[in-house]
Amino acid sequence: MEPMRAKYLQESERLHQRARAFAMAFDGGLPPPEAFDDLARDLACFQYQHNPLYQRLCHAKGIDGPALAQGAMAPAVPSDVFKWARVSTFPEDEQRVLFRTSGTTLGQRGSHGFRDIASYDMGAVAFGRWALFRGQESLRAVLVLGPSEREVPDSSLTHMNALFARTFGPPAREEETYFMSAGTLRVDALQRRLETLMSSSTGPVTMLGTSFAYVHLIDALAHRQLPLPPGSRVMQTGGFKGKSREVEASALRHDLATLFAIPERAVVSEYGMTELSSQFYERTAVDAEAHWGTFSEPPWARIVPVDPGTLEPVPPGEVGIARIEDLMNVESAFAIVVPDRVRRVGTGFELLGRISDAPPRGCSIGIDEMLGR
Amino acid sequence: MASKASRIRELVEVAHEIARAPGGLVDSLVKDTGLSVEGVRHGLAHHVEAQPTETQLQCLLDSVCPVERVTVVLSSNVFVAALRAIALAVASGKEVVVRPSRRDPTFATALVQRWSCPVVRLEPDLDMARVSAGDVHVYGRDETIEDIRRRVTTKGTVWGHGSGFGVAWIGREAHLEFSADALAQDVVAFDQRGCLSPRIVFVEGAEARGLRFLHAVHAALARWETRVPRGDLSASEVQDARRYADTLRMLGTYEQGSSFGVGLALSHLPLLLPPSGRHLHLVAVATAEDGAKALTPLAKYVVSVGLSDPSSGTNPAPPHARISGLGTMQRPPLDGPVDLRPV
């Protein structure tokens, strides 16, 4: 192997190990192994050195990458860039895993490639264990209202669901775990599976799915119930952009609690995206004091509300758009910015949707209008 | 009884009277549109449709179907667009009801009130569910058009004039500075918020030529911004401008002005649509065919094309795009709807 390549692999592996150390410490109930900002700064410098596109952004903003003193100074990559180009520090032929966003009407799908998926997996499991699976040692099953990874191998959500099913659930066949195939819900199969689980033993289940899939399930059942065993939890994620219906978050939570005959606190929202390695959760299932709508961050990721025009952090308590810093994004973009409005609340953050001022003036078509058609 | 043709000529004359002496309307238009005072005055001075020639007027009359009644629903549009919308309605219907945009009613209201045509009336609070007869002409976003289509009970046709954008073509022989200045005029008009406003520019030639044109159009927009300052941007427009700027900083070249931005993308990338509010996305292409291929995913949204040489037969825009020379993209003749896309 040529020396430059060997040096790169050595450097990236060191950074991966440092990122994973955060997840291992968290899993072990220990404080983070180092300051967030120390690793953040080193990741930003690494990405500056090895990603020419990121270098261009830094230079355009007058930032000399190696001189970055703090991760907070690292320019954030607009999430849109993932639609148009590879955001990677490594060559495409070394890519082992590729996640893609769902397509827009223009057919443009964003992508996020990984040379090494282990950091992603470790972080997802550690934080998922804390937010979703804590106290569920006698878990009877992980049920996914979505496709299998075999059917949809390029979805980060599908990957995460499969990871959780393998890690937290007892062994089960694919058809006992995944209840969507070829885009269609397997409602009868889900009902039969739950009947079997309820009749054969005690113990909770955890169900994972997108908000939109749950809405379809509710519709398919014509508002009948599908009770889950006591202690069960439901994770829901995703919104309704471009879909035929929208259901408000608290209404959906209530509907899911009714559908599955579980307390509303057992319905947990997840916030994640293809462009990230980490996820964020409401923690109502594991913290009796927690509020709905407030998301928790793992120690290796943080949300900074920033001004949409300048990208400077907004004053505490004010609403900005989300600058997301993710230490697990070792070989892509440590900091990204997305057009989701957020506000810090206590030790967490609220998600407030997209900027929704008055409809645009004029008949010149808007970007999001075009992408959403 | 006045003929439709003579009514349309009267309407245009009234519009020009308003444009020549707008008085207090300027402040209302600034408030409605978000344009600067200079932007409003520029729109009135240069972008109210001229009296059509006989041929153009006949084209306009031929572009509509005669019906008993037309209800026109205006959007918060480039404000002068109300003139063409009402002219088309008058060309079509024996009776016309105008519902101005709630956000942008000033020009349409002034036009109808000053004209006092016996067959045209204003109904600002018209409940669309009560429209039970005649055709409906709707201007606005697709969602608005669909919403109105669902609500009206008329058996007549609902004609939707939706949103779109313009492209520009800078041919190989074009003088870059002259073309840049002409293009800047098209951008500055209404702060690029019209469906005719150019947002994507194809420059025939290598990337180096694209870069020269980027510098030329940056300089032209800088000159124009002192004459016609840009108005306010909404919060989402500010965000979209920053998103586009940073995306182009990574994927090409981006030059920021005080109130505008010009990007030149790396040639292998798919086409990006920049936000309105005086942003242009340049792409260097070897031929018009290459431009057309790049434009294919967006083709149905293209309403207009501005050419550095209008006599040239080739350009990358789809066949339905309204063709004009650079500098006149936002001054189409009054010969029918601006939007020639198939319905």
Side-chain angles (χ1 to χ4, degrees):
Chain A
M1 183 187 294
E2 53 114 339
M4 295 284 289
R5 200 75 213 125
K7 184 163 180 274
Y8 170 87
L9 289 173
Q10 215 175 30
E11 208 181 332
S12 74
E13 185 50 32
R14 263 204 298 271
L15 290 166
H16 273 291
Q17 282 174 5
R18 286 169 68 184
R20 287 174 209 153
F22 274 79
M24 286 193 296
F26 183 73
D27 234 1
L30 298 169
E34 61 177 300
F36 182 100
D37 214 60
D38 287 346
L39 180 52
R41 180 202 54 231
D42 291 347
L43 281 177
C45 290
F46 174 76
Q47 289 166 6
Y48 171 91
Q49 274 168 12
H50 296 288
N51 183 346
L53 298 186
Y54 191 59
Q55 230 178 63
R56 294 163 72 94
L57 181 64
C58 289
H59 289 167
K61 299 215 173 215
I63 288 170
D64 175 19
L68 267 173
Q70 290 178 289
M73 291 168 53
V77 174
S79 56
D80 292 335
V81 172
F82 287 79
K83 282 200 267 294
W84 312 112
R86 282 189 81 239
V87 182
S88 283
T89 56
F90 57 90
E92 202 166 351
D93 60 5
E94 292 185 14
Q95 189 168 277
R96 294 290 167 266
V97 175
L98 181 70
F99 295 142
R100 291 187 191 274
T101 61
S102 49
T104 66
T105 50
L106 299 179
Q108 202 60 37
R109 297 179 74 187
S111 64
H112 185 186
F114 293 80
R115 193 183 55 79
D116 180 350
I117 197 69
S119 301
Y120 179 110
D121 287 353
M122 199 176 279
V125 165
F127 204 51
R129 192 193 320 276
W130 179 84
L132 206 47
F133 295 97
R134 200 173 358 149
Q136 289 197 312
E137 286 74 22
S138 58
L139 197 64
R140 286 286 292 129
V142 174
L143 307 176
V144 180
L145 203 62
S148 69
E149 202 173 15
R150 185 185 54 79
E151 186 184 336
V152 181
D154 63 355
S155 155
S156 59
L157 178 61
T158 309
H159 174 80
M160 188 185 83
N161 290 341
L163 182 63
F164 285 175
R166 281 196 300 275
T167 306
F168 299 112
R173 294 195 305 273
E174 186 173 299
E175 61 269 24
E176 292 175 330
T177 306
Y178 301 96
F179 296 92
M180 184 183 287
S181 181
T184 303
L185 286 180
R186 296 171 54 228
V187 178
D188 293 343
L190 177 62
Q191 282 180 294
R192 285 194 301 273
R193 177 74 166 125
L194 283 169
E195 279 162 16
T196 305
L197 285 167
M198 294 285 261
S199 67
S200 60
S201 73
T202 56
V205 305
T206 296
M207 184 165 301
L208 314 172
T210 62
S211 310
F212 200 63
Y214 286 123
V215 166
H216 273 296
L217 180 64
I218 292 169
D219 288 348
L221 290 170
H223 300 271
R224 283 173 288 138
Q225 277 193 312
L226 196 62
L228 299 180
S232 294
R233 293 172 187 160
V234 166
M235 183 209 86
Q236 54 130 345
T237 186
F240 297 88
K241 186 174 169 183
K243 302 290 190 200
S244 53
R245 278 178 64 196
E246 263 198 54
V247 179
E248 195 264 322
S250 62
L252 181 58
R253 187 187 318 118
H254 174 78
D255 288 347
L256 290 176
T258 305
L259 169 70
F260 294 121
I262 56 175
E264 283 195 34
R265 296 196 75 80
V267 178
V268 172
S269 281
E270 180 259 10
Y271 176 57
M273 59 196 74
T274 301
E275 298 86 348
L276 292 175
S277 296
S278 298
Q279 301 79 36
F280 310 93
Y281 295 93
E282 289 176 323
R283 60 173 194 263
T284 52
V286 298
D287 179 354
E289 306 294 322
H291 294 268
W292 288 299
T294 302
F295 288 76
S296 290
E297 301 138 303
W300 52 87
R302 65 186 179 198
I303 301 276
V304 181
V306 295
D307 179 276
T310 64
L311 299 186
E312 291 295 315
V314 299
E318 287 197 12
V319 175
I321 58 169
R323 171 187 164 103
I324 309 178
E325 298 176 352
D326 186 356
L327 297 179
M328 294 299 178
N329 260 11
V330 172
E331 292 178 272
S332 55
F334 144 72
I336 70 170
V337 62
V338 300
D340 293 334
R341 288 157 63 239
V342 293
R343 172 173 44 212
R344 294 226 54 103
V345 175
T347 57
F349 66 93
E350 285 177 318
L351 267 179
L352 302 168
R354 300 279 169 115
I355 288 181
S356 59
D357 43 18
R361 292 188 164 108
C363 50
S364 197
I365 191 166
I367 301 158
D368 285 341
E369 183 191 349
M370 197 166 61
L371 293 176
R373 281 187 188 171
Chain B
M1 186 166 68
S3 68
K4 290 184 176 187
S6 63
R7 285 206 168 114
I8 290 168
R9 289 202 182 285
E10 268 177 24
L11 173 65
V12 174
E13 188 47 41
V14 168
H16 280 272
E17 283 171 16
I18 294 172
R20 281 191 293 268
L25 291 184
V26 171
D27 288 343
S28 299
L29 285 167
V30 167
K31 191 159 143 290
D32 284 353
T33 63
L35 295 171
S36 63
V37 167
E38 294 85 348
V40 165
R41 290 193 184 282
H42 184 78
L44 289 168
H46 299 288
H47 295 282
V48 174
E49 280 86 342
Q51 281 289 0
T53 62
E54 287 302 320
T55 308
Q56 289 165 353
L57 188 49
Q58 192 56 54
C59 278
L60 186 149
L61 292 166
D62 292 341
S63 73
V64 294
C65 301
V67 294
E68 285 298 310
R69 189 191 203 203
V70 172
T71 303
V72 187
V73 181
L74 297 172
S75 72
S76 62
N77 220 324
V78 292
F79 61 90
V80 300
L83 165 56
R84 185 180 299 255
I86 296 170
L88 285 165
V90 166
S92 175
K94 290 182 184 168
E95 183 198 340
V96 172
V97 174
V98 177
R99 193 184 89 169
S101 157
R102 288 191 177 93
R103 289 171 68 199
D104 193 358
T106 299
F107 190 75
T109 303
L111 201 50
V112 174
Q113 284 178 344
R114 177 111 38 127
W115 187 23
S116 290
C117 174
V119 304
V120 178
R121 71 175 189 278
L122 276 171
E123 282 205 31
D125 299 318
L126 176 64
D127 176 0
M128 297 309 297
R130 290 180 40 228
V131 175
S132 55
D135 281 2
V136 182
H137 296 183
V138 188
Y139 294 83
R141 291 154 61 92
D142 281 2
E143 318 164 359
T144 308
I145 295 168
E146 289 315 308
D147 179 54
I148 287 178
R149 217 184 278 280
R150 274 191 297 271
R151 284 162 59 199
V152 299
T153 53
T154 175
K155 302 231 178 336
T157 306
V158 176
W159 301 95
H161 300 269
S163 39
F165 69 95
V167 301
W169 171 246
I170 312 301
R172 201 174 292 280
E173 305 302 324
H175 187 287
L176 293 183
E177 282 70 30
F178 290 161
S179 300
D181 192 71
L183 178 64
Q185 292 180 58
D186 293 321
V187 168
V188 153
F190 309 107
D191 286 345
Q192 218 186 9
R193 294 205 177 96
C195 60
L196 298 170
S197 302
R199 292 183 33 210
I200 289 176
V201 184
F202 291 101
V203 182
E204 192 177 18
E207 263 183 46
R209 189 164 188 256
L211 197 55
R212 289 201 302 278
F213 189 69
L214 179 147
H215 295 315
V217 86
H218 184 277
L221 283 169
R223 289 191 298 273
W224 273 94
E225 79 180 341
T226 62
R227 291 165 60 177
V228 186
R230 193 192 63 195
D232 296 332
L233 296 185
S234 65
S236 54
E237 284 173 323
V238 166
Q239 176 183 254
D240 287 347
R242 193 266 318 143
R243 262 165 95 180
Y244 175 72
D246 280 351
T247 299
L248 261 290
R249 285 176 175 127
M250 290 185 77
L251 303 183
T253 301
Y254 184 77
E255 286 198 3
Q256 177 82 58
S258 325
S259 63
F260 61 89
V262 191
L264 171 69
L266 298 172
S267 57
H268 62 278
L269 291 168
L271 216 49
L272 271 75
L273 183 70
S276 54
R278 305 197 187 184
H279 297 90
L280 283 172
H281 183 75
L282 273 51
V283 184
V285 290
T287 63
E289 288 72 28
D290 289 341
K293 196 165 157 217
L295 199 51
T296 302
L298 306 183
K300 66 180 177 187
Y301 306 112
V302 177
V303 174
S304 68
V305 59
L307 305 180
S308 55
D309 176 6
S311 66
S312 157
T314 55
N315 74 77
H320 59 244
R322 185 180 265 275
I323 294 175
S324 56
L326 290 177
T328 62
M329 289 181 76
Q330 308 240 36
R331 293 187 203 134
L334 191 55
D335 60 1
V338 290
D339 187 347
L340 303 175
R341 290 177 289 183
V343 173

